[in-house]
Amino acid sequence: MPKEDGIIKWVLNFEQFTQWITKFSLPDIISFDHDLADVDKNNEGNFAHYQEKTGMDCAKWLVNYCIDNNKKLPRFYVHSANPVGSKNIESLLNNFIKHAKNS
């Protein structure tokens, strides 16, 4: 990720992401991680019932927020160690930018 100057605000999950943007508006830059949850297994040793929202959910929400509020998508990076998740986030956001330029 390129070096950027400024204040960094960390949000750790979907709810914090949406609440921060709703309260303060869009930041200049967003860095996405796909896998947000650090989930412990329950007493039975599984967590299949638990569905944490991912960075992809944040990216989808962001696209809708920009459409609904007539906002330009901020610059973004994807820093996830999940290669499939990273590609999906990048594709979604790049397609949104491409579509917005052609509208």
Side-chain angles (χ1 to χ4, degrees), residues 10 15 40 43-44 49 52-53 56 61-62 66 97 100:
W10 291 96
E15 288 75 25
D40 292 326
N43 291 337
E44 290 79 40
H49 69 282
E52 175 69 29
K53 293 195 176 193
M56 183 63 164
W61 181 90
L62 179 64
C66 289
I97 291 168

Side-chain angles (χ1 to χ4, degrees), residues 21 27 31 37 44 46 50 55 63 65-67 73 77 97 101:
I21 292 174
S31 185
E44 290 79 40
N46 71 57
Y50 183 78
V63 165
Y65 177 88
C66 289
I67 291 168
L73 189 72
Y77 301 103
I97 291 168
K101 287 182 181 177

Side-chain angles (χ1 to χ4, degrees), residues 2-100:
K3 182 176 175 359
E4 300 285 350
D5 292 327
I7 298 170
I8 297 174
K9 297 291 183 186
W10 291 96
V11 296
L12 303 176
N13 58 44
F14 178 82
E15 288 75 25
Q16 288 179 8
F17 180 81
T18 59
Q19 288 172 2
W20 196 93
I21 292 174
T22 301
K23 184 174 181 178
F24 298 108
S25 194
L26 294 174
D28 295 329
I29 303 168
I30 297 176
S31 185
F32 288 91
D33 187 358
H34 183 273
D35 303 321
L36 302 178
D38 186 17
V39 179
D40 292 326
K41 294 180 180 179
N42 65 19
N43 291 337
E44 290 79 40
N46 71 57
F47 51 87
H49 69 282
Y50 183 78
Q51 182 64 39
E52 175 69 29
K53 293 195 176 193
T54 66
M56 183 63 164
D57 294 302
C58 293
K60 289 176 182 177
W61 181 90
L62 179 64
V63 165
N64 288 324
Y65 177 88
C66 289
I67 291 168
D68 293 345
N69 294 283
N70 198 28
K71 300 276 187 182
K72 183 179 173 189
L73 189 72
R75 287 187 300 158
F76 68 89
Y77 301 103
V78 181
H79 67 267
S80 182
N82 179 328
V84 174
S86 292
K87 179 72 173 163
N88 289 339
I89 292 170
E90 288 173 352
S91 294
L92 172 75
L93 297 176
N94 284 327
N95 284 335
F96 175 66
I97 291 168
K98 184 176 170 181
H99 176 73

